[in-house]
Amino acid sequence: MSDAPNDGGVKLVTAFIRPDMLGEVKAALVDVGAPSITVTNVSGRGSQPAKKGQWRGEEYTVDLHSKVKVECYVADIPADEVAEAIVEAAKTGEPGDGKVFVSPVEEAYQIRTGVTGQDAV
């Protein structure tokens, strides 16, 4: 079973990327054959520095930056290929490019059919 992608299991690839890189990431995921994605607008902070601004005479600090969270569940495609595709597509070389995480999925259920495991993905 070790010859199967992801050791025969289901993996979750989660990426936090710049919003303007979403088009490139979607295209890269299509190229590797990723079956589906979920995209959420989120805010967060990491190594990207805070920005100071002024509005109506008041100074403010923006330390939470807009990001896009991309989630991709994979069973028959190696998760490392999906993660590498995201990294290559989202990389600008500047602070704030984002991060990619790969996690095991204990179980998956398809609500409509009741199918479980890899077939549910």
Side-chain angles (χ1 to χ4, degrees):
M1 185 119 204
S2 64
D3 290 341
N6 307 316
D7 295 325
V10 177
K11 299 273 182 149
L12 168 61
V13 180
T14 305
F16 296 90
I17 62 169
R18 295 172 183 262
D20 57 322
M21 300 307 287
L22 181 58
E24 288 85 345
V25 168
K26 287 184 346 185
L29 291 173
V30 167
D31 289 345
V32 296
S36 59
I37 62 170
T38 301
V39 177
T40 310
N41 290 315
V42 297
S43 295
R45 69 174 170 205
S47 60
Q48 191 174 4
K51 296 180 182 176
K52 293 192 183 279
Q54 195 165 356
W55 187 71
R56 293 190 176 181
E58 296 292 322
E59 189 174 287
Y60 66 93
T61 301
V62 176
D63 61 348
L64 295 177
H65 302 282
S66 294
K67 297 290 179 188
V68 172
K69 179 180 178 183
V70 178
E71 296 174 302
C72 184
Y73 291 87
V74 292
D76 54 352
I77 302 165
D80 59 341
E81 288 182 16
V82 173
E84 288 170 13
I86 294 171
V87 168
E88 289 301 314
K91 185 175 184 177
T92 67
E94 299 292 324
D97 277 351
K99 303 231 180 347
V100 178
F101 303 95
V102 178
S103 308
V105 175
E106 192 169 318
E107 187 60 87
Y109 299 87
Q110 187 177 42
I111 295 172
R112 180 179 55 85
T113 63
V115 174
T116 61
Q118 280 191 320
D119 296 333
V121 176

